[in-house]
Amino acid sequence: MKRALAIDVGGTKIYSAIVNVNGEIISDVEKTPTPKNYEDIISTFKSIISKHENEVDVIAFSTCGAVNNENTRILGSTGNIAGQYPATNFLELSKKPVFLENDANCAAWAEYKIGASKDCRHSIMLTLGTGVGGGIIVDGKLLKGKNGAAGEMHFKLRTDKHRKCTCGAWDCFEIYCSGTGLKLTAAEMSQNPKITTYDVIGGVELKDELMMKIFNRWQDDILAGIIGLANIFDPDVVVLSGSMAQFVDTHYLTKMVNEEIVTTPTRVVKAEAGNYSGMIGAALLAFDKYGV
Ligand SMILES: [Zn+2]
């Protein structure tokens, strides 16, 4: 059976593992902190690849940053990783075929192939973590846009320049609906700049009135975004993944979304492909692309 060496590159950690064509991880998952320095990132890649390249048919990267439509390079800014990282020549890293795709797109693909949106040809995935990632699948294909950068969850939730987003614009979905967004909403509503997301989640468990109000505001911001996305894409399902997704009430969201949309009924569900869905999705996309 064909195998891919999958490498997941994030701002803080680099994971790697071998994945088969069924989307199963068949090796230990290796984990290393993402080096701050660009040269060290490249040497980390080289050492992972040289260790495993003879055991696999393809190298599949799931990476932060938008990836071009040829799946060969990163298009632009990637946030919290070394500034030169987008210049990486991935194809030169191995004598085997090298593939790369944006991490949220990879995760959305893993959900479509083996997870919560399996067999659903129209789906949207939102990764609710420190930021918000997005992957959109239309008629069984990843929506990539003209250059490959589509699916970024930076659309406005309000227009009064209330909160600056990490992308530099004002009031994006991301800056309200990420973990960072929950913290900012909590700080505003509690007048306590030091409040954390843990305080809110812990308070909700204890049925603290203010913490529940803060949490519900955050969840209703997520709801607002999902309603817009559902009206635009008419998805079978909206999948929520990432560290913050576990706290969300998907039954509530499903009910409220379906009360407001003008398109056909949809579902909001939690991701099922696991913590390594980025690596699994990258591997499955790479097998498709290279026909291996
Ligand atoms: Zn933004």
Side-chain angles (χ1 to χ4, degrees), residues 117-278:
S117 53
K118 192 170 190 305
D119 301 325
C120 297
R121 294 184 62 79
H122 301 267
S123 67
I124 294 168
M125 204 191 65
L126 299 174
T127 306
L128 309 173
T130 314
V132 176
I136 298 170
I137 294 173
V138 176
D139 201 14
K141 284 183 72 175
L142 266 180
L143 181 76
K144 289 279 287 171
K146 65 184 188 303
N147 288 317
E152 291 293 328
M153 294 300 158
H154 293 266
F155 51 89
K156 291 187 194 303
L157 280 194
R158 49 195 283 180
T159 58
D160 58 347
K161 296 195 175 175
H162 178 75
R163 203 179 278 177
K164 193 107 181 208
C165 183
T166 52
C167 71
W170 289 96
D171 295 323
C172 292
F173 179 75
E174 166 167 312
I175 201 61
Y176 290 90
C177 300
S178 57
T180 309
L182 174 58
K183 184 180 158 32
L184 292 170
T185 297
E188 282 169 20
M189 291 177 70
S190 69
Q191 313 266 310
N192 171 10
K194 293 202 176 117
I195 194 168
T196 66
T197 54
Y198 300 104
D199 295 333
V200 179
I201 300 302
V204 169
E205 278 165 16
L206 298 171
K207 303 236 181 304
D208 179 280
E209 212 169 299
L210 177 60
M211 295 306 131
M212 284 164 70
K213 225 171 147 182
I214 291 168
F215 181 85
N216 290 337
R217 172 77 63 82
W218 175 72
Q219 188 166 255
D220 282 338
D221 283 338
I222 296 171
L223 170 65
I226 294 176
I227 289 168
L229 290 165
N231 276 333
I232 295 166
F233 292 102
D234 191 18
D236 295 300
V237 60
V238 178
V239 182
L240 303 181
S241 72
S243 57
M244 297 303 294
Q246 58 180 312
F247 305 117
V248 170
D249 181 348
T250 50
H251 297 288
Y252 168 78
L253 290 175
T254 298
K255 177 173 165 285
M256 298 308 288
V257 166
N258 286 317
E259 276 182 20
E260 273 201 47
I261 55 175
V262 295
T263 44
T264 58
T266 189
R267 292 178 292 130
V268 182
V269 301
K270 290 183 189 178
E272 291 171 8
N275 288 339
Y276 303 122
S277 59

